[in-house]
Amino acid sequence: MTDAASPPAGPIYLDDLAVGQETYFGSCQVSRDEVIAFAERYDPQPFHLSDEAAAKTHFGRLAASGWHTCAMTMGVIARHVVATGQAGLGSPGIDELRWLKPVYPGDTLHVSATIVEVRPSRSKPEIGSFRSGTVVTNQDGVPVLTFTSIVLMRRRPAGEQREA
């Protein structure tokens, strides 16, 4: 398992990945102010903006937008990718996005993923893609978000060895 606190040496290329490889990307705190600010701008539904309105719903209290949960998750993943020097080239999308449980101010989100496919490109030998099952859990270990990501990544340049 790769840990966000101890990144591997040197850039990580597609060739360094294997099916079954697990990565813990890190965690983030969910703040009340950020939940409201995100909702005001991007998802202004009452249960994301007001304790009183949320109390009248199945949420029971102010809940983060699912899209905010996705954005926080992306922040955790992107910081890890930059810190580890991954040779990523972006993503053509995600599959099977599911919001499983509400996320509340005060929660701590933990982000991890398991690689389910690694595929060199047939038409562009310098790149390829991988798919991974991403799971976001709260501080109690309860999954709150899952999705399958598809990531484009450079392959190791010819003649370059992986740093130890």
Side-chain angles (χ1 to χ4, degrees):
M1 179 180 215
T2 304
D3 186 348
S6 57
I12 299 170
Y13 294 99
L14 183 76
D15 311 82
D16 301 320
L17 305 180
V19 171
Q21 181 177 339
E22 296 178 5
T23 301
Y24 176 72
F25 293 102
S27 65
C28 70
Q29 291 289 127
V30 180
S31 94
R32 178 182 175 77
D33 291 345
E34 288 180 358
V35 166
I36 293 170
F38 185 95
E40 285 174 337
R41 181 144 188 198
Y42 300 109
D43 193 356
Q45 298 182 73
F47 45 83
H48 298 319
L49 295 167
S50 157
D51 290 308
E52 295 76 24
K56 298 174 186 174
T57 71
H58 66 286
F59 294 115
R61 59 188 169 118
L62 186 73
S65 165
W67 295 113
H68 186 199
T69 303
C70 290
M72 289 183 282
T73 298
M74 188 62 216
V76 170
I77 292 170
R79 283 186 285 281
H80 176 82
V81 166
V82 170
T84 59
Q86 291 186 23
L89 296 170
S91 172
I94 60 171
D95 292 330
E96 303 168 10
L97 171 67
R98 297 289 181 264
W99 293 296
L100 304 172
K101 296 282 184 186
V103 171
Y104 299 108
D107 282 353
T108 300
L109 302 180
H110 297 273
V111 183
S112 60
T114 303
I115 295 176
V116 296
E117 177 184 62
V118 178
R119 200 167 55 173
S121 172
R122 284 181 248 158
S123 62
K124 297 179 181 177
E126 70 280 4
I127 69 170
S129 65
F130 71 92
R131 297 169 71 88
S132 61
T134 302
V135 178
V136 180
T137 59
N138 65 19
Q139 65 281 353
D140 299 319
V142 175
V144 298
L145 171 69
T146 60
F147 59 90
T148 301
S149 63
I150 307 155
V151 179
L152 301 176
M153 194 171 216
R154 287 180 293 195
R155 299 196 63 200
R156 183 172 305 289
E160 182 178 316
Q161 299 295 316
R162 179 170 170 101
E163 295 178 26

